[in-house]
Amino acid sequence: MSNWVLIPLLLLVAVLQATLLPLVPVFGFTLDLALVLVIGWGLVGPAWQAAQWGFTLGLFLDLISGLPFGAHTLSLTLIGLLMSAGQLVFFRSNLAAPPIAAVLATLIQHLIILSILAFTGQPIAWDAFLLRVTLPTALLNTLTLTALFLPLRWLAQRVAPQMEFH
């Protein structure tokens, strides 16, 4: 996909993530669309491109969020790398991969961001946050990834037709 299309699209996702999605909670929780897109693209897109998406989305989110700069960039880039690496091993044809990936990626992202906050001196109630925020958010991200998986796969087939999909 051309960067002339991709970068404005990722900027739009970041702005939606930071401004509109917190106003539309689902069961009281905010969907992490940026994370879901990085996971989904890591599962179906060209290898290693999800890390680029994660880096770009992370930078945009870091510029507009109140978290310490680099928290989103680090977590989303790392998740993009992990999803791309996993894709090379087993994800592309494994039906259990998307839900497992969504849960693990949500956990990884929250652990990274909480660790950065703790490192900067913020008090963190780890157990309460992981139980009351991470777990429901992982479920919401899994449901969203399930809904977006086929459209992302369709897009990947259009932008990288040489890739083999099972």
Side-chain angles (χ1 to χ4, degrees):
M1 179 179 302
S2 166
N3 284 340
W4 294 105
V5 174
L6 181 62
I7 290 176
L9 179 65
L10 295 178
L11 176 60
L12 176 63
V13 168
V15 169
L16 287 173
Q17 180 70 46
T19 59
L20 183 62
L21 289 178
L23 300 176
V24 187
V26 179
F27 305 116
F29 298 95
T30 302
L31 167 68
D32 195 340
L33 183 60
L35 177 62
V36 169
L37 287 176
V38 170
I39 298 166
W41 199 250
L43 296 174
V44 300
W48 311 113
Q49 208 172 58
Q52 295 169 339
W53 282 34
F55 181 79
T56 305
L57 275 166
L59 278 177
F60 289 147
L61 286 169
D62 281 335
L63 289 171
I64 55 181
S65 78
L67 290 176
F69 192 81
H72 287 293
T73 304
L74 176 64
S75 65
L76 290 174
T77 303
L78 179 62
I79 289 166
L81 286 170
L82 291 172
M83 293 300 114
S84 294
Q87 174 199 99
L88 296 176
V89 176
F90 65 90
F91 279 176
R92 221 177 268 280
S93 61
N94 190 334
L95 294 176
I100 292 169
V103 170
L104 289 176
T106 303
L107 177 62
I108 290 167
Q109 183 188 39
H110 286 195
L111 286 173
I112 290 171
I113 290 174
L114 289 174
S115 296
I116 290 170
L117 288 172
F119 183 72
T120 60
Q122 301 294 319
I124 304 295
W126 290 87
D127 52 347
F129 189 90
L130 293 173
L131 184 62
R132 294 188 184 134
V133 177
T134 302
L135 190 59
T137 302
L139 178 60
L140 182 58
N141 288 346
T142 300
L143 295 173
T144 305
L145 179 60
T146 303
L148 291 178
F149 189 75
L150 290 178
L152 284 171
R153 189 170 172 171
W154 175 86
L155 179 62
Q157 289 171 335
R158 298 305 172 273
V159 300
Q162 72 278 9
M163 292 177 54
E164 184 177 327
F165 294 91
H166 298 284

